[in-house]
Amino acid sequence: MMTVASVRSKLFNEKRVEESNKLLLALCILFGLSSSLQKFGVFDIMNKGIIGLLCLITLALFCQRPQPKTSFLILSMTAMLHAIAFAFPVSSKEGIATYFMFAFWVLFWLYVLCNVGDFIKVAYRSRRFLWRVLTLWTAVTTVSFFLPMCYKLGWGGARYFTSFTTDSFEIAPVAFFMLSLNILLYTFDRNRVKALLFSIVPLACVFAAGTRTYLVVVAVEFIILLRLMVRSRGAFAALFAVCVVCFVGIAAISNIGQKFESATLDTASDMSVFLEVFTNGRSEFWAVDMGAFLASDWFTMLFGHGFSYVYELNQSAIGMRLYAHNDFINLLLNFGIVGLSVYFAVFVPILAKLKSKCGLLVCLLFGFMWLFNAFFNMLYVYVIAVIGMGVIAMALLSADVVSDEWEEVVSS
């Protein structure tokens, strides 16, 4: 006869927890590699399946470790929000991944908040495998820089780097993830030369891809890596200044410089025109989207209009089927004030934990990466970028643990 004690013993079995975390790590890595190859259609299909599996395995991990009661309250609210969203008309024009992205945001950050030790232990044991993955991606991406098929005409007729993805806005989040993996591996072996060398290709990707948002975000990510390497405040300040000069200089002579320059042209002296150019047209449909939210009734203000509303609204307003390109506006329209509250409820505690563990500077750098990306581009809809942010958070939260201590931990 099964007792409560025997059920709990099977459910919270350490070996089962470790295997589940191994699967989660493997899926994250597979998603990163698959995202690098979306020019080939099979990998795009594969990614959609992996997103669903990531949600399922993360949810399963919640049943294998005791979790705070607030986590289950948040998960219940998330399930309710999705049920309400599906009650609204759903267009077949949206990809199936659209319905998993917010759920994954909630699940993944709740996982990061309470399960850092489990993930880091598995990642440390798998560090040789992770180095091979990073080496493979670096080699393949380096080769792609020399292939004409890996570029695409964009802003002003310039050629922007896509590697083996279909767009520069796909390779940039992948580069972000690979640099986050590099940061994690640096916390394990403290090899500065190796970490700096493996930073070159991700940095080159964002310069060549021409994505202004990710250029800033990955630059800050690299600054976080340097902060882990240089503990002296004075030396770090000097290094920070050098990095800013170098980044600005390289951007000025690359295609991405055209995008920054266009926002400061004399012809854009009018504030409304300036905002439209600076945000690449986002300010135009942000105004439409916020107007629609403010005109909503109390129910849709609280719980949103469902998944397809924002796309159809922007299609009607500007002739393009787009999401809001802003986490906060998109969530207000999809899941309402309750959804936006859930979004903050799972992420703000991460910032508090980083401030307590790593100090104010690192917390501000990490928070800036999130806010800048979420405001100008959207973060939660890019699953690979969410994973990258989570990997950085877990690396930072374990960065003060030296390798000798981990040898003892993982051998126990």
Side-chain angles (χ1 to χ4, degrees):
M1 182 176 181
M2 296 290 287
T3 65
V4 174
S6 64
V7 171
R8 286 181 62 85
S9 176
K10 287 187 176 182
L11 202 58
F12 300 136
N13 179 275
E14 287 296 327
K15 187 66 176 177
R16 189 189 303 274
V17 171
E18 182 180 347
E19 291 303 316
S20 296
N21 276 282
K22 283 182 180 177
L23 180 57
L24 177 64
L25 176 62
L27 287 171
C28 289
I29 296 301
L30 182 60
F31 190 80
L33 293 175
S34 180
S35 298
S36 302
L37 301 168
Q38 290 193 77
K39 190 181 288 288
F40 311 105
V42 64
F43 292 101
D44 183 54
I45 297 170
M46 183 188 298
N47 262 15
K48 290 176 172 61
I50 296 173
I51 293 173
L53 289 174
L54 281 167
C55 288
L56 288 174
I57 189 61
T58 312
L59 186 60
L61 281 162
F62 271 85
C63 300
Q64 295 176 9
R65 278 270 193 240
Q67 304 290 333
K69 292 180 180 179
T70 52
S71 294
F72 291 99
L73 174 62
I74 289 171
L75 288 176
S76 299
M77 292 175 66
T78 304
M80 177 195 70
L81 288 167
H82 279 75
I84 293 172
F86 278 115
F88 288 90
V90 177
S91 172
S92 60
K93 294 180 181 179
E94 276 70 73
I96 191 170
T98 303
Y99 313 123
F100 289 96
M101 291 166 177
F102 181 59
F104 180 74
W105 172 271
V106 175
L107 284 164
F108 191 67
W109 287 115
L110 286 176
Y111 170 83
V112 171
L113 188 62
C114 303
N115 303 275
V116 174
D118 289 337
F119 184 88
I120 292 297
K121 187 185 294 187
V122 166
Y124 184 81
R125 286 173 170 163
S126 307
R127 62 193 182 280
R128 291 183 181 86
F129 165 71
L130 296 180
W131 273 123
R132 292 189 190 103
V133 168
L134 188 56
T135 302
L136 173 65
W137 178 84
T138 300
V140 171
T141 306
T142 300
V143 169
S144 71
F145 274 101
F146 300 96
L147 301 177
M149 67 175 287
C150 294
Y151 290 82
K152 183 178 180 180
L153 290 179
W155 183 291
R159 292 170 71 247
Y160 293 103
F161 180 63
T162 64
S163 189
F164 294 112
T165 66
T166 60
D167 195 86
S168 58
F169 289 96
E170 291 177 357
I171 186 58
V174 172
F176 174 81
F177 168 72
M178 292 300 172
L179 187 53
S180 74
L181 188 60
N182 187 28
I183 290 173
L184 176 66
L185 289 168
Y186 172 74
T187 65
F188 293 153
D189 63 21
R190 307 289 178 173
N191 188 324
R192 295 180 181 179
V193 173
K194 200 174 184 180
L196 290 172
L197 286 174
F198 276 94
S199 299
I200 293 172
V201 171
L203 290 171
C205 283
V206 292
F207 277 111
T211 60
R212 291 178 297 176
T213 301
Y214 272 99
L215 176 63
V216 174
V217 169
V218 172
V220 175
E221 184 183 19
F222 182 65
I223 294 297
I224 288 176
L225 174 61
L226 294 180
R227 181 57 178 161
L228 291 174
M229 294 179 178
V230 181
R231 293 294 184 179
S232 167
R233 291 185 179 181
F236 175 73
L239 191 59
F240 178 83
V242 170
C243 285
V244 170
V245 171
C246 290
F247 268 82
V248 172
I250 296 171
I253 61 175
S254 62
N255 287 339
I256 198 171
Q258 298 175 27
K259 294 187 175 183
F260 286 104
E261 182 182 354
S262 65
T264 57
L265 292 174
D266 292 336
T267 54
S269 57
D270 180 80
M271 182 54 69
S272 62
V273 177
F274 172 82
L275 284 174
E276 186 176 341
V277 173
F278 184 78
T279 64
N280 197 20
R282 289 167 173 79
S283 60
E284 180 184 353
F285 55 85
W286 284 348
V288 172
D289 295 343
M290 281 306 299
F293 170 74
L294 294 172
S296 302
D297 57 46
W298 69 269
F299 184 86
T300 49
M301 269 195 171
L302 282 176
F303 301 108
H305 296 265
F307 296 103
S308 297
Y309 179 78
V310 65
Y311 292 97
E312 292 171 357
L313 179 65
N314 289 332
Q315 174 77 56
S316 175
I318 62 172
M320 298 179 70
R321 198 172 186 83
L322 301 170
Y323 47 64
H325 284 72
N326 178 295
D327 275 8
F328 317 120
I329 296 174
N330 211 79
L331 285 167
L332 285 173
L333 291 173
N334 279 7
F335 299 107
I337 295 170
V338 175
L340 185 60
S341 300
V342 169
Y343 173 93
F344 284 118
V346 297
F347 190 77
V348 171
I350 301 292
L351 295 176
K353 202 167 184 177
L354 283 170
K355 182 179 180 297
S356 173
K357 182 82 173 179
C358 309
L360 181 61
L361 176 60
V362 168
C363 177
L364 289 174
L365 289 171
F366 185 84
F368 179 82
M369 276 198 309
W370 155 68
L371 188 59
F372 191 86
N373 202 355
F375 191 86
F376 285 107
N377 186 63
M378 289 191 72
L379 175 58
Y380 85 87
V381 300
Y382 289 92
V383 171
I384 191 62
V386 176
I387 296 172
M389 289 287 290
V391 169
I392 295 170
M394 290 188 280
L396 292 172
L397 291 171
S398 62
D400 60 343
V401 182
V402 298
S403 296
D404 290 343
E405 291 175 336
W406 271 112
E407 290 289 359
E408 295 177 8
V409 171
V410 298
S411 63
S412 61

